[in-house]
Amino acid sequence: MVSRDGFETHEVLNQSPPFADFNLFTSDLALQDAVFREGAGGAAERLTAFGALTGSAQMLAQGRLANEYPPRLKTFDLKGHRIDRVEFHPAYHAMMSMSTAQGLHMASWEHLKNGLDAPETGANVARAAGSYMAAQTEPGHCCPITMTNAAVASLLIEPVLADDLLPRLLVSDYDPSFRPIPEKRAITIGMGMTEKQGGTDVRTNATRAEPVPGEPGVYLLTGHKWFMSAPMSDAFLMLAQAPAGLSCFFVPRLLPDGGVNPIRIQRLKDKLGNRSNASSEVELHGVHGWLIGEEGRGVPAIIEMVTYTRLDCAVSSAGLMRAALAEAIHHCRNRRVFQKQLVDQPLMSAVLADLALEVEAATALAFRLARSFDNPRSELDQAWRRLMTPVTKYWICKIAPAFIYEAMECLGGNGYVEEGRLALLYREAPVNAIWEGSGNVMGLDVLRVLMKEPEVADSILEGLGKAISSDRRLSAQLATVRDLLHKPRDLEVNLRALIEGLAMVAAAALLRVNAPAPVADAFLATRLEGGPRRTYGQGLQRADRNAIIDRSWPH
């Protein structure tokens, strides 16, 4: 054939149309159900508008550009002065503006503006829904968004400091300028915990913090941080060894008088994924830091921040899984193979339906966890938050990489090339499992809760027992979890089995009570019955595969 421009070419046939301009909220029934079920129905109108924005071709293109043109470190200016700046493509700033305008960097704390001591109903659930969609547009920028929101939990330990910072934290705005905090409209906050000699074991941190004579609460920090996330942030929470032990500090980039705090960026890490976001290695040369809480209580202070970041890891991974599933179903509904639509081939429909079940479970579990952050006065919700935060992060973040690979395979070669979105999603997936506590760290956190607060597990298991009532499959799974709990001598070595079992029974119970029958029945049949499963697409012979896929199809 001859094209309109006069050049001979082939005709492009049997390719799915570009996947863009879908509303990521209204096209996702599992997400909508979770938002309404967990108490954030009042945010539906705003989430609908955000879903249209995050799924638009324009913002998806900006997300692609932000990853194709990663940040660059500018250590010195033209004249040789040390500046330690990180430069970003304008597309990255577009992502940050999008998410801060939605309030994702502070919505957990908006109640503080109204003088309330607890979040308004559904605040964290609505924020989780926004984060779930933002991660689908471009996940890298979600790192500073997450840390800024989470940092408030630690800052509130020091009320005077918090009062100074909250007016610039609790605003739906983004100000990337390099100026002292008092001169800015809005600020972001990063984190510096990890050192060379011990990532997880932060108590081995060697950075020193020396009190400044005559300035109570002010210290000079000297040392090194192997990973300091989002180095362009306006301030950071850091751990360092004060005279009384490991302590937490608020460290601004610029001092109140406008001077530069001597945080020397050695390099930006060349990461597998998360390319739009900068992660740095830094040296601290007498850096000013303000103590948060008491000397020697650094871990309890910063763990307040870490808890919120772990919620976001789970929510973001569920969002990445949803994005991969939507791409796979879209492709398979628009591609013909062997005289049928690909989605109608039995082998493919089994895989797609199985993937859809996993997204349903991950979404239900993530948003149930988000609800627990909205209800500080509920004993059950606080028990859920303490135990199920590490359980949920472990399970969802662990399954995401293999899940996204399977979705990539549904697109064949088109899924493997960088022009498509599956490659970006696949490279991004491991970071949430590694960041803020790898699988074994989550296991040790679960163990800590079980040892210190055994009543927390009892409360959750009792609630699950009521939810599953007489279902024999769920009852058997719950009995397996109880059996593992009652073997304290082998508890640590069995932790992964315990965590997976607890995640599975919790997700299954949520789906049994709330999901459509085809989804709930197929999930229980494939996850709690039958033989061992190593790959997707097994055990769905009697499942209503079309109903499951249609529910997940991004109409």
Side-chain angles (χ1 to χ4, degrees), residues 310-311 313-315 362 365-367 369 384 387-398 499 503:
R310 288 174 175 173
L311 167 64
C313 286
V315 169
L365 205 53
F367 281 82
L369 179 61
W384 192 281
L387 181 60
M388 296 303 290
T389 294
V391 168
T392 303
K393 180 194 182 296
Y394 175 98
W395 185 68
I396 297 177
C397 296
K398 279 286 187 190
I499 292 171

mmCIF file with all atom_site columns, all heavy atoms in Angstrom, residues 310-311 313-315 362 365-367 369 384 387-398 499 503:
data_model
loop_
_atom_site.group_PDB
_atom_site.id
_atom_site.type_symbol
_atom_site.label_atom_id
_atom_site.label_alt_id
_atom_site.label_comp_id
_atom_site.label_asym_id
_atom_site.label_entity_id
_atom_site.label_seq_id
_atom_site.pdbx_PDB_ins_code
_atom_site.Cartn_x
_atom_site.Cartn_y
_atom_site.Cartn_z
_atom_site.occupancy
_atom_site.B_iso_or_equiv
_atom_site.pdbx_formal_charge
_atom_site.auth_seq_id
_atom_site.auth_comp_id
_atom_site.auth_asym_id
_atom_site.auth_atom_id
_atom_site.pdbx_PDB_model_num
ATOM 1   N N   . ARG A 1 310 ? 4.991  2.637   55.262 1.00 0.00 ? 310 ARG A N   1
ATOM 2   C CA  . ARG A 1 310 ? 4.701  1.233   54.954 1.00 0.00 ? 310 ARG A CA  1
ATOM 3   C C   . ARG A 1 310 ? 3.286  1.062   54.412 1.00 0.00 ? 310 ARG A C   1
ATOM 4   O O   . ARG A 1 310 ? 3.049  0.229   53.522 1.00 0.00 ? 310 ARG A O   1
ATOM 5   C CB  . ARG A 1 310 ? 4.932  0.376   56.197 1.00 0.00 ? 310 ARG A CB  1
ATOM 6   C CG  . ARG A 1 310 ? 6.408  0.219   56.527 1.00 0.00 ? 310 ARG A CG  1
ATOM 7   C CD  . ARG A 1 310 ? 6.668  -0.504  57.829 1.00 0.00 ? 310 ARG A CD  1
ATOM 8   N NE  . ARG A 1 310 ? 8.108  -0.707  58.012 1.00 0.00 ? 310 ARG A NE  1
ATOM 9   C CZ  . ARG A 1 310 ? 8.658  -1.195  59.106 1.00 0.00 ? 310 ARG A CZ  1
ATOM 10  N NH1 . ARG A 1 310 ? 7.889  -1.535  60.154 1.00 0.00 ? 310 ARG A NH1 1
ATOM 11  N NH2 . ARG A 1 310 ? 9.968  -1.357  59.187 1.00 0.00 ? 310 ARG A NH2 1
ATOM 12  N N   . LEU A 1 311 ? 2.352  1.819   54.932 1.00 0.00 ? 311 LEU A N   1
ATOM 13  C CA  . LEU A 1 311 ? 1.013  1.812   54.350 1.00 0.00 ? 311 LEU A CA  1
ATOM 14  C C   . LEU A 1 311 ? 1.087  2.194   52.880 1.00 0.00 ? 311 LEU A C   1
ATOM 15  O O   . LEU A 1 311 ? 0.477  1.541   52.016 1.00 0.00 ? 311 LEU A O   1
ATOM 16  C CB  . LEU A 1 311 ? 0.105  2.789   55.108 1.00 0.00 ? 311 LEU A CB  1
ATOM 17  C CG  . LEU A 1 311 ? -1.227 3.133   54.431 1.00 0.00 ? 311 LEU A CG  1
ATOM 18  C CD1 . LEU A 1 311 ? -2.117 1.910   54.308 1.00 0.00 ? 311 LEU A CD1 1
ATOM 19  C CD2 . LEU A 1 311 ? -1.950 4.246   55.207 1.00 0.00 ? 311 LEU A CD2 1
ATOM 20  N N   . CYS A 1 313 ? 3.589  1.969   50.815 1.00 0.00 ? 313 CYS A N   1
ATOM 21  C CA  . CYS A 1 313 ? 4.225  0.919   50.015 1.00 0.00 ? 313 CYS A CA  1
ATOM 22  C C   . CYS A 1 313 ? 3.195  -0.109  49.562 1.00 0.00 ? 313 CYS A C   1
ATOM 23  O O   . CYS A 1 313 ? 3.189  -0.537  48.397 1.00 0.00 ? 313 CYS A O   1
ATOM 24  C CB  . CYS A 1 313 ? 5.323  0.236   50.826 1.00 0.00 ? 313 CYS A CB  1
ATOM 25  S SG  . CYS A 1 313 ? 6.828  1.202   51.029 1.00 0.00 ? 313 CYS A SG  1
ATOM 26  N N   . ALA A 1 314 ? 2.330  -0.528  50.471 1.00 0.00 ? 314 ALA A N   1
ATOM 27  C CA  . ALA A 1 314 ? 1.311  -1.520  50.133 1.00 0.00 ? 314 ALA A CA  1
ATOM 28  C C   . ALA A 1 314 ? 0.313  -0.954  49.139 1.00 0.00 ? 314 ALA A C   1
ATOM 29  O O   . ALA A 1 314 ? -0.048 -1.606  48.144 1.00 0.00 ? 314 ALA A O   1
ATOM 30  C CB  . ALA A 1 314 ? 0.593  -1.981  51.404 1.00 0.00 ? 314 ALA A CB  1
ATOM 31  N N   . VAL A 1 315 ? -0.152 0.266   49.377 1.00 0.00 ? 315 VAL A N   1
ATOM 32  C CA  . VAL A 1 315 ? -1.134 0.890   48.480 1.00 0.00 ? 315 VAL A CA  1
ATOM 33  C C   . VAL A 1 315 ? -0.536 1.086   47.094 1.00 0.00 ? 315 VAL A C   1
ATOM 34  O O   . VAL A 1 315 ? -1.180 0.799   46.072 1.00 0.00 ? 315 VAL A O   1
ATOM 35  C CB  . VAL A 1 315 ? -1.605 2.236   49.069 1.00 0.00 ? 315 VAL A CB  1
ATOM 36  C CG1 . VAL A 1 315 ? -2.413 3.022   48.044 1.00 0.00 ? 315 VAL A CG1 1
ATOM 37  C CG2 . VAL A 1 315 ? -2.436 1.997   50.329 1.00 0.00 ? 315 VAL A CG2 1
ATOM 38  N N   . ALA A 1 362 ? -5.487 -7.725  46.892 1.00 0.00 ? 362 ALA A N   1
ATOM 39  C CA  . ALA A 1 362 ? -4.514 -6.717  47.316 1.00 0.00 ? 362 ALA A CA  1
ATOM 40  C C   . ALA A 1 362 ? -5.196 -5.390  47.608 1.00 0.00 ? 362 ALA A C   1
ATOM 41  O O   . ALA A 1 362 ? -4.870 -4.704  48.585 1.00 0.00 ? 362 ALA A O   1
ATOM 42  C CB  . ALA A 1 362 ? -3.446 -6.541  46.240 1.00 0.00 ? 362 ALA A CB  1
ATOM 43  N N   . LEU A 1 365 ? -7.232 -5.595  50.894 1.00 0.00 ? 365 LEU A N   1
ATOM 44  C CA  . LEU A 1 365 ? -6.373 -5.628  52.076 1.00 0.00 ? 365 LEU A CA  1
ATOM 45  C C   . LEU A 1 365 ? -5.724 -4.266  52.329 1.00 0.00 ? 365 LEU A C   1
ATOM 46  O O   . LEU A 1 365 ? -5.652 -3.793  53.474 1.00 0.00 ? 365 LEU A O   1
ATOM 47  C CB  . LEU A 1 365 ? -5.302 -6.701  51.887 1.00 0.00 ? 365 LEU A CB  1
ATOM 48  C CG  . LEU A 1 365 ? -4.687 -7.331  53.137 1.00 0.00 ? 365 LEU A CG  1
ATOM 49  C CD1 . LEU A 1 365 ? -5.746 -7.875  54.080 1.00 0.00 ? 365 LEU A CD1 1
ATOM 50  C CD2 . LEU A 1 365 ? -3.724 -8.456  52.728 1.00 0.00 ? 365 LEU A CD2 1
ATOM 51  N N   . ALA A 1 366 ? -5.263 -3.604  51.263 1.00 0.00 ? 366 ALA A N   1
ATOM 52  C CA  . ALA A 1 366 ? -4.610 -2.297  51.415 1.00 0.00 ? 366 ALA A CA  1
ATOM 53  C C   . ALA A 1 366 ? -5.573 -1.253  51.963 1.00 0.00 ? 366 ALA A C   1
ATOM 54  O O   . ALA A 1 366 ? -5.217 -0.450  52.835 1.00 0.00 ? 366 ALA A O   1
ATOM 55  C CB  . ALA A 1 366 ? -4.039 -1.838  50.075 1.00 0.00 ? 366 ALA A CB  1
ATOM 56  N N   . PHE A 1 367 ? -6.805 -1.267  51.486 1.00 0.00 ? 367 PHE A N   1
ATOM 57  C CA  . PHE A 1 367 ? -7.744 -0.233  51.922 1.00 0.00 ? 367 PHE A CA  1
ATOM 58  C C   . PHE A 1 367 ? -8.342 -0.552  53.283 1.00 0.00 ? 367 PHE A C   1
ATOM 59  O O   . PHE A 1 367 ? -8.735 0.362   54.012 1.00 0.00 ? 367 PHE A O   1
ATOM 60  C CB  . PHE A 1 367 ? -8.810 -0.004  50.852 1.00 0.00 ? 367 PHE A CB  1
ATOM 61  C CG  . PHE A 1 367 ? -8.303 0.857   49.735 1.00 0.00 ? 367 PHE A CG  1
ATOM 62  C CD1 . PHE A 1 367 ? -7.555 0.327   48.705 1.00 0.00 ? 367 PHE A CD1 1
ATOM 63  C CD2 . PHE A 1 367 ? -8.516 2.223   49.755 1.00 0.00 ? 367 PHE A CD2 1
ATOM 64  C CE1 . PHE A 1 367 ? -7.043 1.125   47.697 1.00 0.00 ? 367 PHE A CE1 1
ATOM 65  C CE2 . PHE A 1 367 ? -8.015 3.043   48.755 1.00 0.00 ? 367 PHE A CE2 1
ATOM 66  C CZ  . PHE A 1 367 ? -7.270 2.490   47.720 1.00 0.00 ? 367 PHE A CZ  1
ATOM 67  N N   . LEU A 1 369 ? -6.444 -1.717  55.580 1.00 0.00 ? 369 LEU A N   1
ATOM 68  C CA  . LEU A 1 369 ? -5.371 -1.172  56.401 1.00 0.00 ? 369 LEU A CA  1
ATOM 69  C C   . LEU A 1 369 ? -5.468 0.347   56.481 1.00 0.00 ? 369 LEU A C   1
ATOM 70  O O   . LEU A 1 369 ? -5.302 0.931   57.557 1.00 0.00 ? 369 LEU A O   1
ATOM 71  C CB  . LEU A 1 369 ? -4.012 -1.584  55.834 1.00 0.00 ? 369 LEU A CB  1
ATOM 72  C CG  . LEU A 1 369 ? -2.783 -1.063  56.587 1.00 0.00 ? 369 LEU A CG  1
ATOM 73  C CD1 . LEU A 1 369 ? -2.766 -1.582  58.017 1.00 0.00 ? 369 LEU A CD1 1
ATOM 74  C CD2 . LEU A 1 369 ? -1.503 -1.464  55.857 1.00 0.00 ? 369 LEU A CD2 1
ATOM 75  N N   . TRP A 1 384 ? -5.410 -3.854  64.292 1.00 0.00 ? 384 TRP A N   1
ATOM 76  C CA  . TRP A 1 384 ? -5.188 -4.130  62.869 1.00 0.00 ? 384 TRP A CA  1
ATOM 77  C C   . TRP A 1 384 ? -3.982 -3.333  62.366 1.00 0.00 ? 384 TRP A C   1
ATOM 78  O O   . TRP A 1 384 ? -3.121 -3.864  61.653 1.00 0.00 ? 384 TRP A O   1
ATOM 79  C CB  . TRP A 1 384 ? -6.445 -3.778  62.069 1.00 0.00 ? 384 TRP A CB  1
ATOM 80  C CG  . TRP A 1 384 ? -6.427 -4.294  60.669 1.00 0.00 ? 384 TRP A CG  1
ATOM 81  C CD1 . TRP A 1 384 ? -5.765 -3.757  59.603 1.00 0.00 ? 384 TRP A CD1 1
ATOM 82  C CD2 . TRP A 1 384 ? -7.086 -5.459  60.165 1.00 0.00 ? 384 TRP A CD2 1
ATOM 83  N NE1 . TRP A 1 384 ? -5.959 -4.505  58.473 1.00 0.00 ? 384 TRP A NE1 1
ATOM 84  C CE2 . TRP A 1 384 ? -6.768 -5.557  58.791 1.00 0.00 ? 384 TRP A CE2 1
ATOM 85  C CE3 . TRP A 1 384 ? -7.909 -6.426  60.747 1.00 0.00 ? 384 TRP A CE3 1
ATOM 86  C CZ2 . TRP A 1 384 ? -7.255 -6.588  57.978 1.00 0.00 ? 384 TRP A CZ2 1
ATOM 87  C CZ3 . TRP A 1 384 ? -8.401 -7.452  59.940 1.00 0.00 ? 384 TRP A CZ3 1
ATOM 88  C CH2 . TRP A 1 384 ? -8.076 -7.525  58.577 1.00 0.00 ? 384 TRP A CH2 1
ATOM 89  N N   . LEU A 1 387 ? -0.522 -4.907  63.790 1.00 0.00 ? 387 LEU A N   1
ATOM 90  C CA  . LEU A 1 387 ? -0.109 -6.205  63.260 1.00 0.00 ? 387 LEU A CA  1
ATOM 91  C C   . LEU A 1 387 ? -0.188 -6.268  61.737 1.00 0.00 ? 387 LEU A C   1
ATOM 92  O O   . LEU A 1 387 ? 0.719  -6.801  61.084 1.00 0.00 ? 387 LEU A O   1
ATOM 93  C CB  . LEU A 1 387 ? -0.966 -7.320  63.868 1.00 0.00 ? 387 LEU A CB  1
ATOM 94  C CG  . LEU A 1 387 ? -0.622 -8.745  63.404 1.00 0.00 ? 387 LEU A CG  1
ATOM 95  C CD1 . LEU A 1 387 ? 0.822  -9.090  63.762 1.00 0.00 ? 387 LEU A CD1 1
ATOM 96  C CD2 . LEU A 1 387 ? -1.578 -9.760  64.026 1.00 0.00 ? 387 LEU A CD2 1
ATOM 97  N N   . MET A 1 388 ? -1.237 -5.709  61.165 1.00 0.00 ? 388 MET A N   1
ATOM 98  C CA  . MET A 1 388 ? -1.467 -5.899  59.738 1.00 0.00 ? 388 MET A CA  1
ATOM 99  C C   . MET A 1 388 ? -0.699 -4.921  58.854 1.00 0.00 ? 388 MET A C   1
ATOM 100 O O   . MET A 1 388 ? -0.646 -5.109  57.642 1.00 0.00 ? 388 MET A O   1
ATOM 101 C CB  . MET A 1 388 ? -2.967 -5.824  59.443 1.00 0.00 ? 388 MET A CB  1
ATOM 102 C CG  . MET A 1 388 ? -3.779 -6.927  60.099 1.00 0.00 ? 388 MET A CG  1
ATOM 103 S SD  . MET A 1 388 ? -3.216 -8.606  59.658 1.00 0.00 ? 388 MET A SD  1
ATOM 104 C CE  . MET A 1 388 ? -3.703 -8.682  57.932 1.00 0.00 ? 388 MET A CE  1
ATOM 105 N N   . THR A 1 389 ? -0.090 -3.886  59.438 1.00 0.00 ? 389 THR A N   1
ATOM 106 C CA  . THR A 1 389 ? 0.767  -3.027  58.608 1.00 0.00 ? 389 THR A CA  1
ATOM 107 C C   . THR A 1 389 ? 1.941  -3.829  58.045 1.00 0.00 ? 389 THR A C   1
ATOM 108 O O   . THR A 1 389 ? 2.145  -3.858  56.824 1.00 0.00 ? 389 THR A O   1
ATOM 109 C CB  . THR A 1 389 ? 1.247  -1.796  59.384 1.00 0.00 ? 389 THR A CB  1
ATOM 110 O OG1 . THR A 1 389 ? 0.123  -0.967  59.696 1.00 0.00 ? 389 THR A OG1 1
ATOM 111 C CG2 . THR A 1 389 ? 2.234  -0.977  58.549 1.00 0.00 ? 389 THR A CG2 1
ATOM 112 N N   . PRO A 1 390 ? 2.756  -4.490  58.870 1.00 0.00 ? 390 PRO A N   1
ATOM 113 C CA  . PRO A 1 390 ? 3.832  -5.295  58.280 1.00 0.00 ? 390 PRO A CA  1
ATOM 114 C C   . PRO A 1 390 ? 3.335  -6.488  57.481 1.00 0.00 ? 390 PRO A C   1
ATOM 115 O O   . PRO A 1 390 ? 3.944  -6.855  56.471 1.00 0.00 ? 390 PRO A O   1
ATOM 116 C CB  . PRO A 1 390 ? 4.662  -5.735  59.496 1.00 0.00 ? 390 PRO A CB  1
ATOM 117 C CG  . PRO A 1 390 ? 3.752  -5.620  60.664 1.00 0.00 ? 390 PRO A CG  1
ATOM 118 C CD  . PRO A 1 390 ? 2.833  -4.478  60.347 1.00 0.00 ? 390 PRO A CD  1
ATOM 119 N N   . VAL A 1 391 ? 2.215  -7.088  57.887 1.00 0.00 ? 391 VAL A N   1
ATOM 120 C CA  . VAL A 1 391 ? 1.672  -8.231  57.144 1.00 0.00 ? 391 VAL A CA  1
ATOM 121 C C   . VAL A 1 391 ? 1.243  -7.796  55.744 1.00 0.00 ? 391 VAL A C   1
ATOM 122 O O   . VAL A 1 391 ? 1.567  -8.446  54.735 1.00 0.00 ? 391 VAL A O   1
ATOM 123 C CB  . VAL A 1 391 ? 0.492  -8.866  57.905 1.00 0.00 ? 391 VAL A CB  1
ATOM 124 C CG1 . VAL A 1 391 ? -0.267 -9.853  57.016 1.00 0.00 ? 391 VAL A CG1 1
ATOM 125 C CG2 . VAL A 1 391 ? 0.981  -9.562  59.169 1.00 0.00 ? 391 VAL A CG2 1
ATOM 126 N N   . THR A 1 392 ? 0.512  -6.694  55.668 1.00 0.00 ? 392 THR A N   1
ATOM 127 C CA  . THR A 1 392 ? -0.006 -6.227  54.380 1.00 0.00 ? 392 THR A CA  1
ATOM 128 C C   . THR A 1 392 ? 1.122  -5.753  53.470 1.00 0.00 ? 392 THR A C   1
ATOM 129 O O   . THR A 1 392 ? 1.139  -6.060  52.273 1.00 0.00 ? 392 THR A O   1
ATOM 130 C CB  . THR A 1 392 ? -1.025 -5.093  54.606 1.00 0.00 ? 392 THR A CB  1
ATOM 131 O OG1 . THR A 1 392 ? -2.060 -5.564  55.464 1.00 0.00 ? 392 THR A OG1 1
ATOM 132 C CG2 . THR A 1 392 ? -1.629 -4.631  53.295 1.00 0.00 ? 392 THR A CG2 1
ATOM 133 N N   . LYS A 1 393 ? 2.072  -4.991  54.050 1.00 0.00 ? 393 LYS A N   1
ATOM 134 C CA  . LYS A 1 393 ? 3.210  -4.555  53.233 1.00 0.00 ? 393 LYS A CA  1
ATOM 135 C C   . LYS A 1 393 ? 3.975  -5.758  52.706 1.00 0.00 ? 393 LYS A C   1
ATOM 136 O O   . LYS A 1 393 ? 4.341  -5.808  51.519 1.00 0.00 ? 393 LYS A O   1
ATOM 137 C CB  . LYS A 1 393 ? 4.143  -3.651  54.030 1.00 0.00 ? 393 LYS A CB  1
ATOM 138 C CG  . LYS A 1 393 ? 5.339  -3.174  53.200 1.00 0.00 ? 393 LYS A CG  1
ATOM 139 C CD  . LYS A 1 393 ? 6.428  -2.569  54.036 1.00 0.00 ? 393 LYS A CD  1
ATOM 140 C CE  . LYS A 1 393 ? 7.586  -2.070  53.175 1.00 0.00 ? 393 LYS A CE  1
ATOM 141 N NZ  . LYS A 1 393 ? 8.303  -3.134  52.443 1.00 0.00 ? 393 LYS A NZ  1
ATOM 142 N N   . TYR A 1 394 ? 4.238  -6.715  53.560 1.00 0.00 ? 394 TYR A N   1
ATOM 143 C CA  . TYR A 1 394 ? 4.977  -7.913  53.146 1.00 0.00 ? 394 TYR A CA  1
ATOM 144 C C   . TYR A 1 394 ? 4.294  -8.579  51.958 1.00 0.00 ? 394 TYR A C   1
ATOM 145 O O   . TYR A 1 394 ? 4.908  -8.810  50.915 1.00 0.00 ? 394 TYR A O   1
ATOM 146 C CB  . TYR A 1 394 ? 5.080  -8.891  54.314 1.00 0.00 ? 394 TYR A CB  1
ATOM 147 C CG  . TYR A 1 394 ? 5.712  -10.216 53.945 1.00 0.00 ? 394 TYR A CG  1
ATOM 148 C CD1 . TYR A 1 394 ? 7.064  -10.443 54.201 1.00 0.00 ? 394 TYR A CD1 1
ATOM 149 C CD2 . TYR A 1 394 ? 4.978  -11.235 53.355 1.00 0.00 ? 394 TYR A CD2 1
ATOM 150 C CE1 . TYR A 1 394 ? 7.661  -11.657 53.861 1.00 0.00 ? 394 TYR A CE1 1
ATOM 151 C CE2 . TYR A 1 394 ? 5.566  -12.442 53.002 1.00 0.00 ? 394 TYR A CE2 1
ATOM 152 C CZ  . TYR A 1 394 ? 6.892  -12.653 53.249 1.00 0.00 ? 394 TYR A CZ  1
ATOM 153 O OH  . TYR A 1 394 ? 7.472  -13.846 52.903 1.00 0.00 ? 394 TYR A OH  1
ATOM 154 N N   . TRP A 1 395 ? 3.016  -8.885  52.112 1.00 0.00 ? 395 TRP A N   1
ATOM 155 C CA  . TRP A 1 395 ? 2.357  -9.736  51.120 1.00 0.00 ? 395 TRP A CA  1
ATOM 156 C C   . TRP A 1 395 ? 2.150  -9.012  49.794 1.00 0.00 ? 395 TRP A C   1
ATOM 157 O O   . TRP A 1 395 ? 2.500  -9.536  48.720 1.00 0.00 ? 395 TRP A O   1
ATOM 158 C CB  . TRP A 1 395 ? 1.017  -10.240 51.670 1.00 0.00 ? 395 TRP A CB  1
ATOM 159 C CG  . TRP A 1 395 ? 0.357  -11.208 50.729 1.00 0.00 ? 395 TRP A CG  1
ATOM 160 C CD1 . TRP A 1 395 ? 0.793  -12.463 50.414 1.00 0.00 ? 395 TRP A CD1 1
ATOM 161 C CD2 . TRP A 1 395 ? -0.831 -10.985 49.961 1.00 0.00 ? 395 TRP A CD2 1
ATOM 162 N NE1 . TRP A 1 395 ? -0.058 -13.046 49.501 1.00 0.00 ? 395 TRP A NE1 1
ATOM 163 C CE2 . TRP A 1 395 ? -1.060 -12.168 49.210 1.00 0.00 ? 395 TRP A CE2 1
ATOM 164 C CE3 . TRP A 1 395 ? -1.713 -9.922  49.848 1.00 0.00 ? 395 TRP A CE3 1
ATOM 165 C CZ2 . TRP A 1 395 ? -2.150 -12.292 48.350 1.00 0.00 ? 395 TRP A CZ2 1
ATOM 166 C CZ3 . TRP A 1 395 ? -2.805 -10.053 48.991 1.00 0.00 ? 395 TRP A CZ3 1
ATOM 167 C CH2 . TRP A 1 395 ? -3.018 -11.225 48.253 1.00 0.00 ? 395 TRP A CH2 1
ATOM 168 N N   . ILE A 1 396 ? 1.601  -7.814  49.817 1.00 0.00 ? 396 ILE A N   1
ATOM 169 C CA  . ILE A 1 396 ? 1.319  -7.118  48.558 1.00 0.00 ? 396 ILE A CA  1
ATOM 170 C C   . ILE A 1 396 ? 2.619  -6.772  47.827 1.00 0.00 ? 396 ILE A C   1
ATOM 171 O O   . ILE A 1 396 ? 2.733  -6.977  46.611 1.00 0.00 ? 396 ILE A O   1
ATOM 172 C CB  . ILE A 1 396 ? 0.489  -5.854  48.805 1.00 0.00 ? 396 ILE A CB  1
ATOM 173 C CG1 . ILE A 1 396 ? -0.879 -6.226  49.400 1.00 0.00 ? 396 ILE A CG1 1
ATOM 174 C CG2 . ILE A 1 396 ? 0.289  -5.081  47.498 1.00 0.00 ? 396 ILE A CG2 1
ATOM 175 C CD1 . ILE A 1 396 ? -1.746 -5.020  49.743 1.00 0.00 ? 396 ILE A CD1 1
ATOM 176 N N   . CYS A 1 397 ? 3.598  -6.269  48.563 1.00 0.00 ? 397 CYS A N   1
ATOM 177 C CA  . CYS A 1 397 ? 4.851  -5.873  47.912 1.00 0.00 ? 397 CYS A CA  1
ATOM 178 C C   . CYS A 1 397 ? 5.621  -7.079  47.394 1.00 0.00 ? 397 CYS A C   1
ATOM 179 O O   . CYS A 1 397 ? 6.341  -6.973  46.397 1.00 0.00 ? 397 CYS A O   1
ATOM 180 C CB  . CYS A 1 397 ? 5.706  -5.060  48.871 1.00 0.00 ? 397 CYS A CB  1
ATOM 181 S SG  . CYS A 1 397 ? 4.947  -3.493  49.355 1.00 0.00 ? 397 CYS A SG  1
ATOM 182 N N   . LYS A 1 398 ? 5.471  -8.224  48.030 1.00 0.00 ? 398 LYS A N   1
ATOM 183 C CA  . LYS A 1 398 ? 6.144  -9.436  47.575 1.00 0.00 ? 398 LYS A CA  1
ATOM 184 C C   . LYS A 1 398 ? 5.537  -9.990  46.288 1.00 0.00 ? 398 LYS A C   1
ATOM 185 O O   . LYS A 1 398 ? 6.251  -10.485 45.413 1.00 0.00 ? 398 LYS A O   1
ATOM 186 C CB  . LYS A 1 398 ? 6.069  -10.519 48.654 1.00 0.00 ? 398 LYS A CB  1
ATOM 187 C CG  . LYS A 1 398 ? 7.090  -10.391 49.762 1.00 0.00 ? 398 LYS A CG  1
ATOM 188 C CD  . LYS A 1 398 ? 8.465  -10.793 49.271 1.00 0.00 ? 398 LYS A CD  1
ATOM 189 C CE  . LYS A 1 398 ? 9.445  -10.830 50.429 1.00 0.00 ? 398 LYS A CE  1
ATOM 190 N NZ  . LYS A 1 398 ? 10.833 -10.986 49.937 1.00 0.00 ? 398 LYS A NZ  1
ATOM 191 N N   . ILE A 1 499 ? 2.912  -15.129 58.098 1.00 0.00 ? 499 ILE A N   1
ATOM 192 C CA  . ILE A 1 499 ? 2.492  -13.864 57.499 1.00 0.00 ? 499 ILE A CA  1
ATOM 193 C C   . ILE A 1 499 ? 1.657  -14.110 56.249 1.00 0.00 ? 499 ILE A C   1
ATOM 194 O O   . ILE A 1 499 ? 0.598  -13.503 56.052 1.00 0.00 ? 499 ILE A O   1
ATOM 195 C CB  . ILE A 1 499 ? 3.720  -12.995 57.172 1.00 0.00 ? 499 ILE A CB  1
ATOM 196 C CG1 . ILE A 1 499 ? 4.392  -12.538 58.457 1.00 0.00 ? 499 ILE A CG1 1
ATOM 197 C CG2 . ILE A 1 499 ? 3.322  -11.782 56.335 1.00 0.00 ? 499 ILE A CG2 1
ATOM 198 C CD1 . ILE A 1 499 ? 5.728  -11.866 58.241 1.00 0.00 ? 499 ILE A CD1 1
ATOM 199 N N   . ALA A 1 503 ? -2.188 -13.031 55.837 1.00 0.00 ? 503 ALA A N   1
ATOM 200 C CA  . ALA A 1 503 ? -2.614 -12.162 54.733 1.00 0.00 ? 503 ALA A CA  1
ATOM 201 C C   . ALA A 1 503 ? -3.689 -12.842 53.900 1.00 0.00 ? 503 ALA A C   1
ATOM 202 O O   . ALA A 1 503 ? -4.683 -12.210 53.501 1.00 0.00 ? 503 ALA A O   1
ATOM 203 C CB  . ALA A 1 503 ? -1.413 -11.794 53.869 1.00 0.00 ? 503 ALA A CB  1
#
